[in-house]
Amino acid sequence: MVVTVLVSGALSALPAAAQPSSASGAIETVEADFEILCTPTDSALEELSGLAATDAGIYAIGDSGSDDSVRVLDDQCRTTGSLPLPVDPFDVEDLAQGGGRLWLSDTGDNAGMRTTVALIDMDAFTGAGTLRRLTYPDGAHDAEAILLGGDGVPVLVTKELFGASGIYRPAGALRAEQLPSPGPTALERVGQIAFEPTETPGGPVPFAGGAMITGGAVSEDGTVVALRTYTDVYLYPAPDGDIVAALTGTAPIRVPMPDQPQGEAIAFTPAGDLLSASEANGGPLPPIQVLYGATGLVTPTDGEVGIALQVDQGALIAASVGAGLVVGVGGALWWWVRSRRRRN
């Protein structure tokens, strides 16, 4: 027989040694299995950098040099349509969707030379859309993650090789559709985030790639926020839909991702599964992989992190959760959690 136990309060009752520190608090690692969903065959996706998933299908786009159109894929990764971009982009790095529209983050800037970046919104069926330029308050940045939640305010997270990544949103917390076209609209820095390198394999940048933010996504109900690096994905609870508060004030869980040549894209499906995709990086097109039930790994409850654990009744006699206190008979819960998790 299997029972489900909710461990809350960011596992605050566990010994300090089980809680590695980070800018936003303790980060726990959860081992979860990604499965292969399907493998694209469209050569336009050799530099796949952005994903969005709806009931109508999977939307995918490559970055600079292959970002002239959004490809529409079915659940077998077959290309069923192509939506040409309404403008000529500079370097599209991520993709989000909301309100029947796609939002392309034309924010890539490896050389750090752009005076403006942009969001491009497109109708998910016709491709008709608008360019909306943005300016940073503190110089040029390379950003590969856009987060768009239920409030409609776009949040950009920069990709940094050294130091913390900046978190930016339009000044005045303007919703995406309120941004003037062509703009520009000033961005404001509202926080920062830093991940430590991990031992998870993958990506083109040894060691440091585990700290570089390459993509982002928000669950359909807005209560779970995901940021990925080349090697790992971090899932944040956002019970009230406040993305900035989630990134700056709560502790995520870390899920090691499969070894990918250059993983830069993630997206939640409407069902709460998490899709992960990678550039080919000179090799064959890699598969799109899926973590089923990803949003269920994080249970937003008043800012606390809850992790659903499936344990055998014979291994756990009793457990009680309350106000961050976890009680297990004979320390069984602590032994079980420690055996299933490892530190950053």
Side-chain angles (χ1 to χ4, degrees):
M1 181 179 178
V2 175
V3 296
T4 299
V5 179
L6 179 67
V7 182
S8 66
L11 299 178
S12 58
L14 299 184
Q19 303 181 56
S21 61
S22 74
S24 57
I27 295 180
E28 293 294 328
T29 299
V30 173
E31 301 288 351
D33 293 329
F34 281 78
E35 300 179 24
I36 292 177
L37 178 68
C38 54
T39 302
T41 58
D42 191 332
S43 61
L45 299 178
E46 289 181 353
E47 296 189 22
L48 200 163
S49 186
L51 279 181
T54 72
D55 290 328
I58 301 170
Y59 296 87
I61 191 167
D63 59 16
S64 181
S66 62
D67 53 1
D68 58 342
S69 66
V70 175
R71 294 300 203 261
V72 185
L73 310 179
D74 64 15
D75 59 3
Q76 299 300 311
C77 287
R78 294 173 297 214
T79 299
T80 61
S82 179
L83 299 173
L85 267 64
V87 298
D88 183 19
F90 184 87
D91 186 6
V92 174
E93 289 288 359
D94 204 2
L95 181 60
Q97 64 86 25
R101 302 194 72 77
L102 303 175
W103 291 88
L104 288 74
S105 184
D106 184 4
T107 54
D109 190 12
N110 290 327
M113 298 176 59
R114 297 179 66 174
T115 56
T116 64
V117 293
L119 298 184
I120 303 168
D121 70 297
M122 297 175 59
D123 183 278
F125 298 99
T126 68
T130 307
L131 174 73
R132 305 166 194 265
R133 294 192 177 98
L134 305 167
T135 58
Y136 289 105
D138 50 4
H141 296 280
D142 180 35
E144 297 190 4
I146 180 174
L147 302 168
L148 189 63
D151 62 2
V153 179
V155 175
L156 300 177
V157 184
T158 66
K159 175 185 177 184
E160 307 292 344
L161 179 59
F162 303 106
S165 293
I167 303 171
Y168 296 85
R169 70 182 178 193
L174 291 178
R175 297 191 306 274
E177 68 271 16
Q178 291 178 317
L179 300 174
S181 175
T185 297
L187 294 167
E188 59 182 358
R189 185 178 176 114
V190 291
Q192 64 181 33
I193 193 167
F195 297 135
E196 297 178 359
T198 71
E199 296 179 354
T200 309
V205 184
F207 188 65
M212 300 169 69
I213 296 172
T214 63
V218 181
S219 64
E220 187 173 73
D221 66 2
T223 63
V224 180
V225 180
L227 286 176
R228 73 161 298 163
T229 67
Y230 284 122
T231 60
D232 304 87
V233 62
Y234 294 81
L235 301 175
Y236 291 81
D240 58 0
D242 190 329
I243 293 173
V244 173
L247 296 181
T248 58
T250 65
I253 63 170
R254 177 174 73 93
V255 181
M257 304 183 82
D259 190 343
Q260 296 177 315
Q262 192 169 332
E264 296 190 0
I266 53 171
F268 284 105
T269 70
D273 307 322
L274 185 69
L275 303 181
S276 170
S278 172
E279 293 191 19
N281 196 23
L285 284 170
I288 294 177
Q289 305 198 52
V290 56
L291 176 59
Y292 290 107
T295 55
L297 296 176
V298 178
T299 305
T301 53
D302 298 327
E304 297 179 345
V305 177
I307 302 171
L309 304 179
Q310 296 290 326
V311 297
D312 188 273
Q313 190 179 29
L316 179 63
I317 299 174
S320 174
V321 179
L325 178 63
V326 180
V327 179
V329 174
L333 180 59
W334 159 234
W335 177 89
W336 192 90
V337 171
R338 187 174 184 181
S339 69
R340 287 293 299 271
R341 296 186 181 169
R342 53 188 174 84
R343 295 168 52 188
N344 270 351

